[in-house]
């Protein structure tokens, strides 16, 4: 009997899920599929795939419960961590990210609002700190917590339940970036540096922070010379409340979203030391936005508190009417047509939509024209000209999955859960990530060639470049089983046997290149490579700079000598 009841219950849940309103999309060549539903209560806010080659297994963080769930084939397999969170307002379990070497060390980083009582609560006064902790995934649970960053309760400042940010991302530089909203701090009545209202007092909130994976402060941070470690950890400040952080894989540039008050949500290209202008400027400086937040006064960039190495930059796109801008992401996958591939998606909180913003060729800006050439959507019509998908909850996370499809996390309403957006007829792709041993710079722009072989005969040759994370994504002409011969830059080639790509399927290649020194690209390390290094010895950069440290020197010469005589596979 219990089996029959269980089956009926499962069928009712399936029917109910099917009847829920589904998000819609403007592109008829794309489908939206729900891959996991949390049900009526939990609020999924971030997710991470456990394996780079399997889209059916991932972890999901729940904002209000403080739980991280292990999802397998669309259902909850287990709870792997349960944190005591204060979820009043915008607090809770707010961020989760895997270490770049997760497959080796199992490290998972979480950002959450800790309750003082040690239990889940919604009492705004039951909050002690926002914390970033590192855990280790042991295959069944997250263990060995290590506190690496904290924003504690401060009795000398406001500690409101809103503007806590929480997004965690690793950059191509392998540093951990995190957003902390202003938490109501730094107003004109209690001025602070981060909010551009004081030149001395520190809020400890209101910026993008950059730390090493162990919590220490990188020596190349822009404000590392400041006496206060809270300022030393900043990468950018003058930011009201950021719910979206992403890196453009094709440039390594950092992009964020920032929530305005009643006006001017922003999308910013954030370079080292940026001052975003809050609380004196929101939106473009020239717009002179006014509000109670700015004491109804028009401030200019010259009125900002500029730390040494700081600079002001206008947002590259703003929305005059604030819609609660949230997640931002670049669609880096060959599964998609050129009008979507590598373009920018941005979501909002108020209208529950996703917008598609095309990138300029140099990827330093958006491709804007007509009435939005001034970088501002002043009307709903100008804003909705970019509308790409609608009917979501609040989209808080977007990722390319192991299958090359776009996955979207929806926090609220009946659409809460994780979704997949895929082409109706997806092309076959080969994609993956390359590791270049002992290389000091990011792999951005390193040439990668892939030869697809059958019976040792080339069937397809692919020439591409690695992105800032060492990733690549390319289409395959014909499904089949191949041996793949891969060569990256000055590294000798490697072979990957028995790579099967089904019709409309994919193959994920984790490539590891270890033998460096092929300067002339003939796949053999010999006299020609040695002479090339000797000829450029002592000069900056160039292909002869094998370890990419900026100069052709002893290290590069030793690399050639150590690998002399080796040839590719």
């Amino acid at each position: 009997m219990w089996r029959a009841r269980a089956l009926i219950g499962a069928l009712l849940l399936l029917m109910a899920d099917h009847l829920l309103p589904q998000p819609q999309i403007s592109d008829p060549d794309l489908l939206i599929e729900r891959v996991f539903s949390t049900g009526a209560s939990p609020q999924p806010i971030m997710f991470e795939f456990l394996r780079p080659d399997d889209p059916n297994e991932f972890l999901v963080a729940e904002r209000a419960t403080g739980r991280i769930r292990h999802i397998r084939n669309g259902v909850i397999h287990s709870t792997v961590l349960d944190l005591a969170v204060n979820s009043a307002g915008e607090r809770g379990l707010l961020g989760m990210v895997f270490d770049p070497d997760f497959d080796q060390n199992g490290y998972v980083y979480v950002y959450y609002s800790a309750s003082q009582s040690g239990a889940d609560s919604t009492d705004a006064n039951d909050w002690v700190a926002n914390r970033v902790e590192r855990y280790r995934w042991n295959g069944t649970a997250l263990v060995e917590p290590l506190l690496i960053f904290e924003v504690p309760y401060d009795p000398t400042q406001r500690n409101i339940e809103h503007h806590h940010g929480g997004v965690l991302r690793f950059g191509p530089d392998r540093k951990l970036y995190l957003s902390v909203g202003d938490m109501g701090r730094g107003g004109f009545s209690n001025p602070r540096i981060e909010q551009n209202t004081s030149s001395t007092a520190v809020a400890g909130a209101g910026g993008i922070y950059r730390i090493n994976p162990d919590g220490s402060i990188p020596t190349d941070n822009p404000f590392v010379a400041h006496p206060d470690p809270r300022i030393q950890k900043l990468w950018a400040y003058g930011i009201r409340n950021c719910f979206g952080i992403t890196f453009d894989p094709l440039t390594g540039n950092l992009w964020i979203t920032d929530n305005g008050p009643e006006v001017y949500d922003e999308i910013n290209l954030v370079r080292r030391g940026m001052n975003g202008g809050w609380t004196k400027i929101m939106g473009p400086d020239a717009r002179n936005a006014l509000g109670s937040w700015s004491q109804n006064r028009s401030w200019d960039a010259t009125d900002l508190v500029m730390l040494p190495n700081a600079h002001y930059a206008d947002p590259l796109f703003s929305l005059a009417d604030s819609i609660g801008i949230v997640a931002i992401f670049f669609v880096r996958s060959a599964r998609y047509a050129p009008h979507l591939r590598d373009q920018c998606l941005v979501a909002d909180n108020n209208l529950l939509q996703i917008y598609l913003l095309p990138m300029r060729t140099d990827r330093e800006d958006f491709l804007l024209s007509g009435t939005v050439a001034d970088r501002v959507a002043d009307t709903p019509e100008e804003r909705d000209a970019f509308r790409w998908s609608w009917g979501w909850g609040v989209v808080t996370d977007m990722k390319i999955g192991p299958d090359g499809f776009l996955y979207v996390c929806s926090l609220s309403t009946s659409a809460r859960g994780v979704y997949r957006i895929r082409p109706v007829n997806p092309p076959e792709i080969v994609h993956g990530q390359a590791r270049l041993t002992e290389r000091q710079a990011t792999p951005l722009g390193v040439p990668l060639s892939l030869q697809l072989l059958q019976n040792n005969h080339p069937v397809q040759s692919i020439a591409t470049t690695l992105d800032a994370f060492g990733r690549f994504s390319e289409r395959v002409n014909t499904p089949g089983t191949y041996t793949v011969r891969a060569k990256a830059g000055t590294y000798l080639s490697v072979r990957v046997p028995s790579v099967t790509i089904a019709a409309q399927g994919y193959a994920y290649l984790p490539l590891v290149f270890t033998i460096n020194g092929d300067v002339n690209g003939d796949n053999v390390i010999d006299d020609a490579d040695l002479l090339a290094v000797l000829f450029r010895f002592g000069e900056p950069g160039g292909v002869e700079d094998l370890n990419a440290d900026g100069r052709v020197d002893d290290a590069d010469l030793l690399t050639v000598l150590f690998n002399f005589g080796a040839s590719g596979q």
Side-chain angles (χ1 to χ4, degrees):
M1 178 64 70
W2 68 268
R3 289 182 179 176
R5 288 175 179 169
L7 179 59
I8 291 170
L11 288 173
L12 288 173
L13 285 172
L14 183 63
M15 291 172 63
D17 185 68
H18 178 72
L19 294 173
L20 287 174
Q22 294 291 302
Q24 304 295 312
I25 198 162
S26 60
D27 192 331
D29 295 325
L30 297 177
L31 293 174
I32 301 177
E33 301 169 327
R34 190 195 299 256
V35 298
F36 168 67
S37 175
T38 61
S41 178
Q43 296 176 326
I45 195 164
M46 294 282 162
F47 67 104
E48 288 280 357
F49 293 98
L50 279 167
R51 290 177 46 180
D53 60 348
D54 183 2
N56 299 311
E57 200 164 7
F58 49 90
L59 300 185
V60 169
E62 297 175 354
R63 186 193 74 85
T65 68
R67 295 171 182 164
I68 296 180
R69 308 281 203 171
H70 180 187
I71 311 303
R72 182 179 290 169
N73 296 320
V75 298
I76 296 174
H77 176 67
S78 63
T79 298
V80 302
L81 183 67
D82 191 354
L83 296 164
V85 299
N86 179 270
S87 58
E90 294 167 358
R91 296 175 183 155
L93 174 50
L94 302 177
M96 177 178 67
V97 70
F98 284 6
D99 191 273
D101 295 321
F102 173 78
D103 60 335
Q104 301 172 45
N105 58 32
Y107 288 155
V108 178
Y109 303 78
V110 298
Y111 176 98
Y112 71 102
S113 306
S115 67
Q116 188 172 23
S117 63
D120 290 347
S121 72
T122 58
D123 179 356
N125 295 315
D126 184 28
W127 174 81
V128 64
N130 285 344
R131 293 170 177 159
V132 176
E133 292 176 347
R134 187 184 75 188
Y135 289 79
R136 184 178 62 83
W137 170 247
N138 67 4
T140 58
L142 292 175
V143 298
E144 302 170 7
L146 175 68
L147 178 65
I148 64 170
F149 182 90
E150 186 173 49
V151 182
Y153 172 85
D154 185 345
T156 70
Q157 300 191 77
R158 298 182 72 195
N159 298 276
I160 66 172
E161 61 267 34
H162 301 289
H163 300 185
H164 286 250
V167 183
L168 300 175
R169 294 285 185 258
F170 271 96
D173 56 5
R174 304 173 72 83
K175 307 300 183 184
L176 180 60
Y177 293 73
L178 58 138
S179 69
V180 179
D182 67 6
M183 296 168 55
R185 299 178 179 181
F188 290 93
S189 62
N190 192 353
R192 305 285 163 152
I193 291 172
E194 295 94 315
Q195 287 73 46
N196 287 291
T197 51
S198 169
S199 59
T200 55
V202 177
I208 304 298
Y209 293 80
R210 177 181 184 255
I211 57 176
N212 292 316
D214 63 359
S216 60
I217 301 171
T219 57
D220 59 344
N221 270 9
F223 314 120
V224 73
H226 194 277
D228 194 306
R230 293 172 294 178
I231 298 295
Q232 295 171 15
K233 295 174 184 177
L234 281 170
W235 186 254
Y237 65 104
I239 292 165
R240 183 173 183 264
N241 193 34
C242 168
F243 281 128
I245 298 178
T246 196
F247 289 88
D248 181 354
L250 294 182
T251 62
N253 287 338
L254 170 62
W255 294 74
I256 71 166
T257 62
D258 195 13
N259 282 194
E262 66 272 17
V263 292
Y264 290 113
D265 283 351
E266 298 180 353
I267 304 176
N268 292 281
L269 171 58
V270 178
R271 304 193 190 277
R272 179 179 184 268
M274 189 194 85
N275 182 341
W278 179 255
T279 61
K280 293 177 177 176
I281 300 172
M282 204 73 203
D285 185 11
R287 288 293 185 106
N288 293 321
L290 299 175
S292 58
W293 46 273
S294 65
Q295 296 186 319
N296 288 303
R297 174 179 168 183
S298 295
W299 303 89
D300 297 317
T302 55
D303 297 312
L304 301 180
V305 176
M306 303 302 287
L307 295 169
N309 295 322
H311 65 94
Y312 171 76
D314 265 350
L316 291 186
F317 192 64
S318 300
L319 299 109
D321 294 325
S322 179
I323 57 174
I325 196 166
V326 281
I328 181 171
F329 186 69
F330 292 96
V331 186
R332 178 83 175 113
S333 174
R335 289 285 203 179
Y336 299 98
H339 71 274
L340 176 58
R341 180 179 180 179
D342 297 320
Q343 304 307 312
C344 183
L345 297 179
V346 178
D348 78 77
N349 174 85
N350 297 357
L351 303 176
L352 309 179
Q353 300 184 152
I354 302 177
Y355 307 86
L356 172 61
L357 284 85
M359 298 298 295
R360 211 169 64 183
T361 303
D362 65 5
R363 305 192 67 81
E364 297 292 311
D365 202 349
F366 296 118
L367 187 62
L368 303 173
S369 60
T371 57
V372 292
D374 62 355
R375 304 184 183 280
V376 179
D378 285 295
T379 66
E381 291 75 21
E382 289 184 353
R383 176 196 67 221
D384 286 344
F386 297 98
R387 189 178 77 160
W388 180 68
S389 188
W390 59 94
W392 296 90
V394 181
V395 169
T396 50
D397 201 6
M398 293 183 273
K399 288 182 172 67
I400 296 297
D403 49 13
F405 297 140
L406 175 65
Y407 286 75
V408 175
C409 181
S410 181
L411 174 74
S412 58
T413 75
S414 60
R416 63 170 53 91
V418 177
Y419 292 77
R420 174 174 52 234
I421 301 178
R422 68 169 182 88
V424 175
N425 296 299
E428 298 82 14
I429 66 166
V430 58
H431 67 151
Q433 188 171 24
R435 293 187 178 180
L436 310 179
T437 60
E438 299 182 357
R439 181 181 173 87
Q440 297 188 28
T442 72
L444 178 63
V446 171
L448 176 70
S449 64
L450 302 172
Q451 271 200 328
L452 277 57
L453 309 172
Q454 288 180 329
N455 298 320
N456 216 31
H457 294 291
V459 175
Q460 182 180 354
S461 295
I462 299 171
T464 185
T465 56
L466 299 177
D467 68 20
F469 295 92
R471 299 177 186 138
F472 58 93
S473 180
E474 298 295 334
R475 294 190 176 185
V476 173
N477 294 337
T478 308
T481 298
Y482 302 95
T483 293
V484 177
R485 182 165 58 203
K487 189 178 190 311
T490 56
Y491 289 79
L492 295 182
S493 65
V494 299
R495 284 186 179 235
V496 184
S498 303
V499 176
T500 299
I501 306 171
Q504 298 190 346
Y506 69 97
Y508 182 86
L509 299 182
L511 301 174
V512 180
F513 296 93
T514 59
I515 304 177
N516 196 2
D518 180 23
V519 178
N520 64 0
D522 64 359
N523 217 20
V524 178
I525 301 175
D526 54 17
D527 293 341
D529 305 302
L530 181 60
L531 288 172
V533 171
L534 289 171
F535 185 77
R536 288 287 314 282
F537 196 85
E539 297 185 18
V543 69
E544 297 84 6
D545 178 18
L546 298 173
N547 63 358
D549 66 353
R551 183 165 293 275
V552 183
D553 55 16
D554 292 342
D556 306 303
L557 182 59
L558 288 172
T559 295
V560 175
L561 291 173
F562 185 80
N563 294 321
F564 196 85
S567 59
Q569 300 178 24

